[in-house]
Amino acid sequence: MNAEQRAGAWDAAPVALLRLDADGTVLDANATFARWVGRPAAELVGTVRLAALLSVGGRIYWETHVAPLLHMQGRVEEVAVELRAPDRRMPVLLTAVVREDDGTVDVALSGAAERSRYEHELLAARTAADRAVGDVHVLQRLASELSEAADVDSVAHAVVDTLALTLGGVGVTLWTVADGVWTLRAGTPGERPERVPVAGDAVRREADGCLVVPLRGRTRLLGVLRVRPSGRPGADPLDPDLLAATGHQAASALERARLFDQHASVALELQRAMLATNIPADPRFTIASEYRPGVRDLEVGGDWFDAFAVRDGMLAVTVGDVVGRGLHAATTMSQLRSAGRAVTGPDVRPHLVLEHLDHFVEHAGSGFMSTTVHTQLDLRTGDLEFAVAGHLPPLVLRADGSTSYLWGARSTPLGLTGLGARTSAHARLRAGDTLVLYTDGLVERRTRTLPAGLAALALLVGQHVGTGGGPAGHTGLDVARVVDAALPHHGAEDDVCVVALTWHGPDGGGTPA
């Protein structure tokens, strides 16, 4: 190839070819480069630096990175920069080599429009994929939290807490509606809504950028969710599709939770109806009781109590706990309570009542391993006789505020015969003393020992003496406050039944016997 042919090949090359001096000034340029920048080659040679023909970002990149690197290692390959074409910016890939003989630089620029488009599409696809992964993570976490949320309040807090945690810095509030009444169920700290957002048929954006998500069940609107953007610089915008999916999950959970709340209310009323007894009225004593169902399911439990007159001047009070839950436990509870009433009499001591219940369990085939404590109080003297079948010890709160447990007359749960005789024990109540009977849900926790639970109960009982509803001048135990203080903040893990019997003296006026 002669010199003329070489010159023709130089100008006809499909890539832009340049030669630069050491400071980047154009020494030669082919026709392709001149066409790309829209200027004659003669106008460029010796007067224009390559950096001046690049975009602002490209110029900075050339001066701070490419040129120093080129002179350090003698070459750079496929560096992405942009040429300033007459009507647009043209993405190109730059390859440059420093000549060893004279230090000039040979440069080749190839068009990279397709590659740049591909890279942008690839980046967009990757960003979309990352966002999809993030959305799936949010929905998976929400599904996990909702699976453990039983009632409406738990569902609302699960939705608000999950969105606040996973979306980072957003403000969230959730309302529910029932019979036309709106209730704010949960919100992130600092959210102070002045009104209920208007729910549309789909996710809608308010003027301040907040997204309002309708929570629709199968037949009606259940509530509304409002999400406020975080406002942090660089934060991703709220995704309506993600919040719509969140709304579907939340609405389904709310429907289930409403059914749970309704069924729980029915179960609780059934339990209380079965616990109700015709406690005799007598100025010599008052009885306060409290029942709390466990929060883990809807079934009635086996905790029960009873109080009735054995004869004039003799009161029997019993608390028991049947193993298991549901209809079978409730039936067994009712049978044991009825059997206990039937066998209790003026001449039947507490341990004999337990023996009769052992026979009942054996012949009826139900109630095995149930626990109970049966007490009989002589209202004329304050003499208390009791027997315990596998149950926790009775607690006595003295009128002076001191407490002590009654550890006598202990034996096995019902139905375990042949492992020791049933016995009765005596204690003496003074006017103003309170006997506290309770089930294990009040003191047993997975996070502490039983002795620690009993010690905590004794302390709480001593702290919650209040107006008792007995004769004037007498105080009693505020049973509801004791139960509130004793239970974890999330409610009872097991059923809780507590009975407090206060003896006011032989004449009801507080005169000690």
Short mmCIF file of all heavy atoms in Angstrom, two decimals, residues 324-379:
data_model
loop_
_atom_site.label_atom_id
_atom_site.label_comp_id
_atom_site.label_asym_id
_atom_site.label_seq_id
_atom_site.Cartn_x
_atom_site.Cartn_y
_atom_site.Cartn_z
N GLY A 324 -55.86 -29.05 79.42
CA GLY A 324 -56.38 -28.92 78.06
C GLY A 324 -57.23 -27.68 77.88
O GLY A 324 -57.42 -26.86 78.78
N ARG A 325 -57.76 -27.56 76.64
CA ARG A 325 -58.60 -26.42 76.28
C ARG A 325 -59.73 -26.91 75.41
O ARG A 325 -59.76 -28.04 74.95
CB ARG A 325 -57.78 -25.36 75.54
CG ARG A 325 -56.67 -24.74 76.36
CD ARG A 325 -55.99 -23.61 75.59
NE ARG A 325 -56.89 -22.51 75.31
CZ ARG A 325 -57.26 -21.61 76.22
NH1 ARG A 325 -56.79 -21.67 77.45
NH2 ARG A 325 -58.08 -20.63 75.90
N GLY A 326 -60.68 -26.03 75.15
CA GLY A 326 -61.77 -26.35 74.25
C GLY A 326 -62.98 -26.91 74.97
O GLY A 326 -63.10 -26.87 76.19
N LEU A 327 -63.92 -27.46 74.17
CA LEU A 327 -65.19 -27.92 74.70
C LEU A 327 -65.01 -29.01 75.74
O LEU A 327 -65.70 -29.04 76.77
CB LEU A 327 -66.07 -28.41 73.55
CG LEU A 327 -67.48 -28.87 73.92
CD1 LEU A 327 -68.25 -27.73 74.57
CD2 LEU A 327 -68.21 -29.38 72.69
N HIS A 328 -64.06 -29.92 75.50
CA HIS A 328 -63.85 -31.02 76.45
C HIS A 328 -63.40 -30.47 77.81
O HIS A 328 -63.90 -30.89 78.86
CB HIS A 328 -62.81 -31.98 75.91
CG HIS A 328 -62.46 -33.08 76.87
ND1 HIS A 328 -63.31 -34.12 77.18
CD2 HIS A 328 -61.34 -33.28 77.63
CE1 HIS A 328 -62.74 -34.92 78.07
NE2 HIS A 328 -61.55 -34.43 78.35
N ALA A 329 -62.45 -29.51 77.79
CA ALA A 329 -61.98 -28.94 79.04
C ALA A 329 -63.10 -28.19 79.75
O ALA A 329 -63.25 -28.26 80.98
CB ALA A 329 -60.80 -28.00 78.78
N ALA A 330 -63.91 -27.45 78.97
CA ALA A 330 -65.00 -26.69 79.58
C ALA A 330 -66.04 -27.63 80.20
O ALA A 330 -66.57 -27.38 81.28
CB ALA A 330 -65.66 -25.80 78.53
N THR A 331 -66.34 -28.74 79.51
CA THR A 331 -67.29 -29.72 80.04
C THR A 331 -66.76 -30.34 81.32
O THR A 331 -67.48 -30.49 82.31
CB THR A 331 -67.57 -30.79 78.99
OG1 THR A 331 -68.07 -30.17 77.79
CG2 THR A 331 -68.59 -31.79 79.50
N THR A 332 -65.48 -30.72 81.30
CA THR A 332 -64.87 -31.32 82.49
C THR A 332 -64.87 -30.34 83.65
O THR A 332 -65.14 -30.70 84.80
CB THR A 332 -63.43 -31.76 82.17
OG1 THR A 332 -63.45 -32.70 81.10
CG2 THR A 332 -62.76 -32.39 83.37
N MET A 333 -64.55 -29.07 83.35
CA MET A 333 -64.57 -28.04 84.38
C MET A 333 -65.93 -27.96 85.04
O MET A 333 -66.06 -27.94 86.27
CB MET A 333 -64.22 -26.69 83.74
CG MET A 333 -64.40 -25.49 84.64
SD MET A 333 -64.33 -23.93 83.72
CE MET A 333 -65.94 -23.95 82.94
N SER A 334 -67.00 -27.95 84.21
CA SER A 334 -68.35 -27.86 84.75
C SER A 334 -68.70 -29.08 85.59
O SER A 334 -69.33 -28.98 86.64
CB SER A 334 -69.34 -27.70 83.59
OG SER A 334 -70.66 -27.62 84.05
N GLN A 335 -68.26 -30.26 85.14
CA GLN A 335 -68.56 -31.49 85.87
C GLN A 335 -67.85 -31.51 87.22
O GLN A 335 -68.45 -31.89 88.24
CB GLN A 335 -68.14 -32.71 85.03
CG GLN A 335 -69.00 -32.93 83.81
CD GLN A 335 -68.44 -34.03 82.91
OE1 GLN A 335 -67.26 -34.36 82.96
NE2 GLN A 335 -69.31 -34.61 82.09
N LEU A 336 -66.57 -31.10 87.24
CA LEU A 336 -65.83 -31.10 88.50
C LEU A 336 -66.42 -30.09 89.48
O LEU A 336 -66.52 -30.36 90.68
CB LEU A 336 -64.35 -30.77 88.25
CG LEU A 336 -63.49 -31.88 87.65
CD1 LEU A 336 -62.09 -31.37 87.38
CD2 LEU A 336 -63.43 -33.09 88.59
N ARG A 337 -66.81 -28.94 88.96
CA ARG A 337 -67.39 -27.94 89.85
C ARG A 337 -68.70 -28.46 90.45
O ARG A 337 -68.96 -28.31 91.65
CB ARG A 337 -67.64 -26.65 89.08
CG ARG A 337 -68.04 -25.49 89.97
CD ARG A 337 -68.27 -24.22 89.19
NE ARG A 337 -69.44 -24.35 88.32
CZ ARG A 337 -69.91 -23.36 87.55
NH1 ARG A 337 -69.26 -22.21 87.52
NH2 ARG A 337 -70.97 -23.53 86.80
N SER A 338 -69.53 -29.09 89.60
CA SER A 338 -70.80 -29.64 90.10
C SER A 338 -70.56 -30.77 91.07
O SER A 338 -71.25 -30.87 92.11
CB SER A 338 -71.65 -30.12 88.91
OG SER A 338 -71.97 -29.06 88.05
N ALA A 339 -69.58 -31.63 90.76
CA ALA A 339 -69.28 -32.74 91.66
C ALA A 339 -68.77 -32.23 92.99
O ALA A 339 -69.11 -32.76 94.07
CB ALA A 339 -68.25 -33.67 91.02
N GLY A 340 -67.93 -31.19 92.98
CA GLY A 340 -67.43 -30.63 94.22
C GLY A 340 -68.54 -30.07 95.08
O GLY A 340 -68.56 -30.26 96.31
N ARG A 341 -69.49 -29.39 94.46
CA ARG A 341 -70.63 -28.88 95.22
C ARG A 341 -71.43 -30.03 95.83
O ARG A 341 -71.91 -29.94 96.97
CB ARG A 341 -71.53 -28.05 94.31
CG ARG A 341 -71.07 -26.62 94.12
CD ARG A 341 -72.22 -25.76 93.64
NE ARG A 341 -71.86 -24.35 93.58
CZ ARG A 341 -72.72 -23.37 93.77
NH1 ARG A 341 -73.99 -23.65 94.04
NH2 ARG A 341 -72.34 -22.10 93.69
N ALA A 342 -71.60 -31.09 95.03
CA ALA A 342 -72.46 -32.18 95.47
C ALA A 342 -71.90 -32.91 96.68
O ALA A 342 -72.66 -33.35 97.56
CB ALA A 342 -72.68 -33.15 94.32
N VAL A 343 -70.59 -33.04 96.75
CA VAL A 343 -70.00 -33.84 97.83
C VAL A 343 -69.64 -33.01 99.04
O VAL A 343 -69.36 -33.56 100.12
CB VAL A 343 -68.75 -34.60 97.33
CG1 VAL A 343 -69.11 -35.53 96.17
CG2 VAL A 343 -67.64 -33.64 96.92
N THR A 344 -69.58 -31.67 98.90
CA THR A 344 -69.24 -30.82 100.04
C THR A 344 -70.42 -30.74 101.00
O THR A 344 -71.56 -30.53 100.59
CB THR A 344 -68.87 -29.41 99.57
OG1 THR A 344 -67.76 -29.49 98.66
CG2 THR A 344 -68.46 -28.53 100.74
N GLY A 345 -70.13 -30.95 102.28
CA GLY A 345 -71.18 -30.88 103.29
C GLY A 345 -70.62 -30.41 104.61
O GLY A 345 -69.40 -30.27 104.78
N PRO A 346 -71.51 -30.19 105.59
CA PRO A 346 -71.07 -29.68 106.90
C PRO A 346 -70.04 -30.56 107.58
O PRO A 346 -69.16 -30.05 108.29
CB PRO A 346 -72.37 -29.62 107.70
CG PRO A 346 -73.45 -29.54 106.67
CD PRO A 346 -72.97 -30.33 105.51
N ASP A 347 -70.10 -31.85 107.35
CA ASP A 347 -69.20 -32.77 108.03
C ASP A 347 -68.14 -33.36 107.09
O ASP A 347 -67.48 -34.34 107.43
CB ASP A 347 -70.00 -33.91 108.67
CG ASP A 347 -71.01 -33.40 109.70
OD1 ASP A 347 -70.63 -32.47 110.46
OD2 ASP A 347 -72.14 -33.90 109.72
N VAL A 348 -68.02 -32.79 105.89
CA VAL A 348 -67.05 -33.30 104.91
C VAL A 348 -65.87 -32.34 104.88
O VAL A 348 -65.98 -31.20 104.39
CB VAL A 348 -67.68 -33.42 103.51
CG1 VAL A 348 -66.66 -33.99 102.53
CG2 VAL A 348 -68.93 -34.29 103.56
N ARG A 349 -64.73 -32.79 105.38
CA ARG A 349 -63.55 -31.93 105.41
C ARG A 349 -62.95 -31.80 104.00
O ARG A 349 -63.21 -32.62 103.11
CB ARG A 349 -62.53 -32.50 106.39
CG ARG A 349 -63.06 -32.58 107.82
CD ARG A 349 -62.01 -33.16 108.73
NE ARG A 349 -60.83 -32.28 108.79
CZ ARG A 349 -59.69 -32.66 109.35
NH1 ARG A 349 -59.54 -33.89 109.86
NH2 ARG A 349 -58.68 -31.81 109.40
N PRO A 350 -62.15 -30.75 103.77
CA PRO A 350 -61.64 -30.50 102.42
C PRO A 350 -60.93 -31.68 101.78
O PRO A 350 -61.12 -31.94 100.58
CB PRO A 350 -60.68 -29.32 102.65
CG PRO A 350 -61.28 -28.57 103.78
CD PRO A 350 -61.81 -29.64 104.69
N HIS A 351 -60.13 -32.45 102.54
CA HIS A 351 -59.41 -33.55 101.91
C HIS A 351 -60.36 -34.66 101.47
O HIS A 351 -60.09 -35.38 100.51
CB HIS A 351 -58.32 -34.09 102.84
CG HIS A 351 -58.82 -34.84 104.01
ND1 HIS A 351 -59.25 -34.21 105.16
CD2 HIS A 351 -59.00 -36.19 104.22
CE1 HIS A 351 -59.64 -35.13 106.05
NE2 HIS A 351 -59.49 -36.33 105.49
N LEU A 352 -61.50 -34.78 102.18
CA LEU A 352 -62.49 -35.77 101.77
C LEU A 352 -63.19 -35.34 100.48
O LEU A 352 -63.56 -36.18 99.65
CB LEU A 352 -63.51 -35.97 102.89
CG LEU A 352 -62.94 -36.54 104.19
CD1 LEU A 352 -64.03 -36.65 105.26
CD2 LEU A 352 -62.30 -37.90 103.95
N VAL A 353 -63.35 -34.03 100.31
CA VAL A 353 -63.90 -33.54 99.04
C VAL A 353 -62.98 -33.94 97.88
O VAL A 353 -63.45 -34.40 96.82
CB VAL A 353 -64.07 -32.00 99.08
CG1 VAL A 353 -64.48 -31.46 97.71
CG2 VAL A 353 -65.10 -31.61 100.13
N LEU A 354 -61.67 -33.81 98.08
CA LEU A 354 -60.73 -34.20 97.03
C LEU A 354 -60.78 -35.70 96.76
O LEU A 354 -60.67 -36.13 95.61
CB LEU A 354 -59.31 -33.78 97.42
CG LEU A 354 -59.05 -32.28 97.64
CD1 LEU A 354 -57.56 -32.02 97.85
CD2 LEU A 354 -59.57 -31.44 96.48
N GLU A 355 -60.97 -36.49 97.82
CA GLU A 355 -61.07 -37.94 97.62
C GLU A 355 -62.31 -38.29 96.80
O GLU A 355 -62.27 -39.17 95.92
CB GLU A 355 -61.09 -38.65 98.97
CG GLU A 355 -59.75 -38.60 99.69
CD GLU A 355 -59.80 -39.33 101.04
OE1 GLU A 355 -60.88 -39.85 101.39
OE2 GLU A 355 -58.75 -39.39 101.71
N HIS A 356 -63.41 -37.62 97.09
CA HIS A 356 -64.62 -37.85 96.30
C HIS A 356 -64.39 -37.46 94.83
O HIS A 356 -64.86 -38.13 93.91
CB HIS A 356 -65.79 -37.05 96.87
CG HIS A 356 -66.36 -37.63 98.12
ND1 HIS A 356 -66.90 -38.91 98.19
CD2 HIS A 356 -66.49 -37.11 99.37
CE1 HIS A 356 -67.33 -39.15 99.41
NE2 HIS A 356 -67.09 -38.07 100.15
N LEU A 357 -63.65 -36.37 94.61
CA LEU A 357 -63.35 -35.96 93.23
C LEU A 357 -62.43 -36.96 92.55
O LEU A 357 -62.55 -37.19 91.33
CB LEU A 357 -62.71 -34.57 93.22
CG LEU A 357 -63.65 -33.41 93.60
CD1 LEU A 357 -62.87 -32.08 93.58
CD2 LEU A 357 -64.85 -33.33 92.68
N ASP A 358 -61.54 -37.61 93.31
CA ASP A 358 -60.71 -38.68 92.74
C ASP A 358 -61.61 -39.80 92.21
O ASP A 358 -61.39 -40.33 91.10
CB ASP A 358 -59.76 -39.24 93.80
CG ASP A 358 -58.55 -38.35 94.04
OD1 ASP A 358 -58.12 -37.68 93.08
OD2 ASP A 358 -58.05 -38.33 95.17
N HIS A 359 -62.62 -40.19 93.00
CA HIS A 359 -63.54 -41.25 92.57
C HIS A 359 -64.32 -40.82 91.34
O HIS A 359 -64.55 -41.62 90.42
CB HIS A 359 -64.50 -41.61 93.71
CG HIS A 359 -63.81 -42.23 94.89
ND1 HIS A 359 -62.96 -43.31 94.78
CD2 HIS A 359 -63.86 -41.92 96.22
CE1 HIS A 359 -62.49 -43.64 95.97
NE2 HIS A 359 -63.02 -42.80 96.87
N PHE A 360 -64.73 -39.55 91.32
CA PHE A 360 -65.45 -39.05 90.15
C PHE A 360 -64.59 -39.13 88.90
O PHE A 360 -65.05 -39.58 87.84
CB PHE A 360 -65.88 -37.60 90.39
CG PHE A 360 -66.46 -36.94 89.16
CD1 PHE A 360 -67.77 -37.16 88.80
CD2 PHE A 360 -65.66 -36.13 88.36
CE1 PHE A 360 -68.29 -36.57 87.66
CE2 PHE A 360 -66.17 -35.54 87.22
CZ PHE A 360 -67.49 -35.76 86.86
N VAL A 361 -63.34 -38.69 89.01
CA VAL A 361 -62.43 -38.74 87.86
C VAL A 361 -62.25 -40.17 87.38
O VAL A 361 -62.25 -40.46 86.17
CB VAL A 361 -61.06 -38.11 88.23
CG1 VAL A 361 -60.03 -38.40 87.14
CG2 VAL A 361 -61.21 -36.61 88.43
N GLU A 362 -62.11 -41.10 88.32
CA GLU A 362 -61.90 -42.50 87.96
C GLU A 362 -63.11 -43.07 87.22
O GLU A 362 -62.96 -43.78 86.21
CB GLU A 362 -61.64 -43.32 89.23
CG GLU A 362 -61.38 -44.79 88.95
CD GLU A 362 -61.13 -45.58 90.23
OE1 GLU A 362 -61.04 -44.95 91.30
OE2 GLU A 362 -61.01 -46.81 90.15
N HIS A 363 -64.31 -42.78 87.70
CA HIS A 363 -65.51 -43.37 87.10
C HIS A 363 -65.99 -42.60 85.88
O HIS A 363 -66.50 -43.20 84.92
CB HIS A 363 -66.63 -43.44 88.15
CG HIS A 363 -66.35 -44.42 89.24
ND1 HIS A 363 -66.34 -45.78 89.07
CD2 HIS A 363 -66.04 -44.22 90.56
CE1 HIS A 363 -66.05 -46.39 90.21
NE2 HIS A 363 -65.85 -45.45 91.14
N ALA A 364 -65.80 -41.28 85.85
CA ALA A 364 -66.26 -40.48 84.71
C ALA A 364 -65.29 -40.52 83.54
O ALA A 364 -65.67 -40.26 82.40
CB ALA A 364 -66.49 -39.03 85.14
N GLY A 365 -64.03 -40.83 83.84
CA GLY A 365 -63.04 -40.89 82.77
C GLY A 365 -62.61 -39.52 82.26
O GLY A 365 -62.07 -39.42 81.16
N SER A 366 -62.83 -38.48 83.02
CA SER A 366 -62.41 -37.14 82.62
C SER A 366 -61.92 -36.38 83.84
O SER A 366 -62.29 -36.72 84.97
CB SER A 366 -63.56 -36.37 81.96
OG SER A 366 -64.63 -36.20 82.86
N GLY A 367 -61.09 -35.40 83.61
CA GLY A 367 -60.56 -34.61 84.71
C GLY A 367 -59.26 -35.11 85.27
O GLY A 367 -58.75 -34.56 86.26
N PHE A 368 -58.67 -36.14 84.64
CA PHE A 368 -57.40 -36.69 85.14
C PHE A 368 -56.31 -35.62 85.09
O PHE A 368 -56.18 -34.90 84.11
CB PHE A 368 -57.01 -37.91 84.30
CG PHE A 368 -55.74 -38.57 84.75
CD1 PHE A 368 -55.70 -39.32 85.91
CD2 PHE A 368 -54.58 -38.46 84.00
CE1 PHE A 368 -54.53 -39.93 86.33
CE2 PHE A 368 -53.41 -39.07 84.40
CZ PHE A 368 -53.39 -39.81 85.58
N MET A 369 -55.54 -35.53 86.16
CA MET A 369 -54.44 -34.58 86.32
C MET A 369 -54.90 -33.14 86.49
O MET A 369 -54.10 -32.20 86.44
CB MET A 369 -53.45 -34.66 85.14
CG MET A 369 -52.62 -35.94 85.12
SD MET A 369 -51.53 -36.06 86.56
CE MET A 369 -50.38 -34.75 86.24
N SER A 370 -56.21 -32.93 86.70
CA SER A 370 -56.66 -31.58 87.02
C SER A 370 -56.16 -31.22 88.41
O SER A 370 -55.97 -32.07 89.27
CB SER A 370 -58.19 -31.50 86.99
OG SER A 370 -58.67 -31.77 85.68
N THR A 371 -55.95 -29.91 88.62
CA THR A 371 -55.50 -29.44 89.93
C THR A 371 -56.59 -28.59 90.56
O THR A 371 -57.39 -27.95 89.85
CB THR A 371 -54.21 -28.62 89.81
OG1 THR A 371 -54.49 -27.40 89.11
CG2 THR A 371 -53.13 -29.40 89.08
N THR A 372 -56.62 -28.56 91.88
CA THR A 372 -57.62 -27.75 92.57
C THR A 372 -57.19 -27.47 94.00
O THR A 372 -56.37 -28.21 94.56
CB THR A 372 -59.00 -28.44 92.56
OG1 THR A 372 -59.97 -27.58 93.11
CG2 THR A 372 -58.96 -29.73 93.36
N VAL A 373 -57.73 -26.41 94.55
CA VAL A 373 -57.57 -26.13 95.97
C VAL A 373 -58.98 -25.86 96.52
O VAL A 373 -59.73 -25.05 95.95
CB VAL A 373 -56.63 -24.93 96.23
CG1 VAL A 373 -57.03 -23.72 95.42
CG2 VAL A 373 -56.58 -24.59 97.71
N HIS A 374 -59.32 -26.58 97.59
CA HIS A 374 -60.67 -26.46 98.18
C HIS A 374 -60.51 -25.92 99.60
O HIS A 374 -59.74 -26.46 100.40
CB HIS A 374 -61.36 -27.83 98.20
CG HIS A 374 -62.73 -27.78 98.79
ND1 HIS A 374 -63.82 -27.31 98.11
CD2 HIS A 374 -63.19 -28.15 100.03
CE1 HIS A 374 -64.90 -27.38 98.88
NE2 HIS A 374 -64.54 -27.89 100.04
N THR A 375 -61.23 -24.82 99.88
CA THR A 375 -61.13 -24.19 101.20
C THR A 375 -62.52 -24.07 101.82
O THR A 375 -63.53 -23.94 101.10
CB THR A 375 -60.51 -22.78 101.10
OG1 THR A 375 -61.42 -21.91 100.42
CG2 THR A 375 -59.20 -22.82 100.34
N GLN A 376 -62.55 -24.11 103.15
CA GLN A 376 -63.79 -23.92 103.88
C GLN A 376 -63.51 -22.95 105.04
O GLN A 376 -62.63 -23.20 105.88
CB GLN A 376 -64.35 -25.24 104.41
CG GLN A 376 -64.77 -26.18 103.29
CD GLN A 376 -65.28 -27.52 103.76
OE1 GLN A 376 -65.60 -28.38 102.95
NE2 GLN A 376 -65.37 -27.75 105.06
N LEU A 377 -64.24 -21.83 105.05
CA LEU A 377 -64.02 -20.79 106.05
C LEU A 377 -65.20 -20.73 107.00
O LEU A 377 -66.35 -20.58 106.59
CB LEU A 377 -63.84 -19.43 105.36
CG LEU A 377 -63.70 -18.21 106.27
CD1 LEU A 377 -62.42 -18.31 107.09
CD2 LEU A 377 -63.74 -16.92 105.46
N ASP A 378 -64.89 -20.82 108.29
CA ASP A 378 -65.91 -20.63 109.33
C ASP A 378 -66.07 -19.13 109.53
O ASP A 378 -65.17 -18.45 110.04
CB ASP A 378 -65.47 -21.32 110.62
CG ASP A 378 -66.58 -21.35 111.65
OD1 ASP A 378 -67.39 -20.40 111.69
OD2 ASP A 378 -66.63 -22.32 112.43
N LEU A 379 -67.21 -18.60 109.10
CA LEU A 379 -67.43 -17.16 109.14
C LEU A 379 -67.59 -16.62 110.56
O LEU A 379 -67.53 -15.41 110.78
CB LEU A 379 -68.66 -16.81 108.31
CG LEU A 379 -68.56 -17.13 106.81
CD1 LEU A 379 -69.89 -16.89 106.12
CD2 LEU A 379 -67.46 -16.31 106.17
#
